Amino acid sequence: MYGDPATIRKILTELGDTWAVVGLSNNRDRAAYGVARTLQRFGKRVVPVHPKAETVHGEQGYASLAEIPFKVDVVDVFVNSHLAGAVADEAVAAGADAVWFQLGVIDEAAAARTRGAGLEMVMDRCPAIEIPAL
């Protein structure tokens, strides 16, 4: 339900190119690091969101979505499922157009709230796997 091909295509090709990646740091061993790099290779601007607010892949980091001083189109969520709902709610408050929960990140209630707020929603999928296929 939260990973249909039409929604995936819309998010990756139509909604905009600025992606906030929540959980992105300079730890090269974390999946977020490689996924963010792939998104950049496909023309997306990646904005790191992590408590350390590190600059990653040449982009200034922020400690929270609320601190980003410009519009974010998509919020890509690399946090544990029990924390994902709060991030989705922050994405709605920040005016994002879509929320993308990474592989293994599942929160049906948060997904329903996000869709109910008018945002596109993908759950338990990876954009770095999906985008090369477009």
Side-chain angles (χ1 to χ4, degrees), residues 35 76-78 100-106 123-127:
V35 169
D76 189 9
V77 182
F78 278 94
W100 190 300
F101 284 2
Q102 280 293 329
L103 290 171
V105 180
I106 300 168
M123 182 167 55
D124 194 26
R125 301 293 284 266
C126 180

Side-chain angles (χ1 to χ4, degrees), residues 30 42 58 108 121:
R30 306 287 299 179
F42 281 88
E108 294 284 347
M121 178 72 203

Side-chain angles (χ1 to χ4, degrees), residues 76-121:
D76 189 9
V77 182
F78 278 94
V79 300
N80 292 323
S81 294
H82 72 278
L83 301 172
V87 176
D89 295 340
E90 290 174 26
V92 170
D97 297 314
V99 174
W100 190 300
F101 284 2
Q102 280 293 329
L103 290 171
V105 180
I106 300 168
D107 183 333
E108 294 284 347
R113 283 195 314 274
T114 302
R115 275 260 177 89
L119 282 70
E120 297 292 337
M121 178 72 203

Side-chain angles (χ1 to χ4, degrees), residues 23-109:
L24 176 58
S25 70
N26 276 310
N27 184 342
R28 294 172 186 257
D29 295 329
R30 306 287 299 179
Y33 189 88
V35 169
R37 191 73 191 118
T38 298
L39 289 169
Q40 281 186 322
R41 282 198 311 270
F42 281 88
K44 307 300 181 189
R45 179 182 184 191
V46 172
V47 181
V49 179
H50 189 279
K52 294 180 183 178
E54 299 174 314
T55 296
V56 183
H57 299 308
E59 288 285 348
Q60 169 64 47
Y62 297 90
S64 69
L65 289 172
E67 292 181 16
I68 300 173
F70 48 84
K71 183 178 181 341
V72 169
D73 303 307
V74 182
V75 176
D76 189 9
V77 182
F78 278 94
V79 300
N80 292 323
S81 294
H82 72 278
L83 301 172
V87 176
D89 295 340
E90 290 174 26
V92 170
D97 297 314
V99 174
W100 190 300
F101 284 2
Q102 280 293 329
L103 290 171
V105 180
I106 300 168
D107 183 333
E108 294 284 347

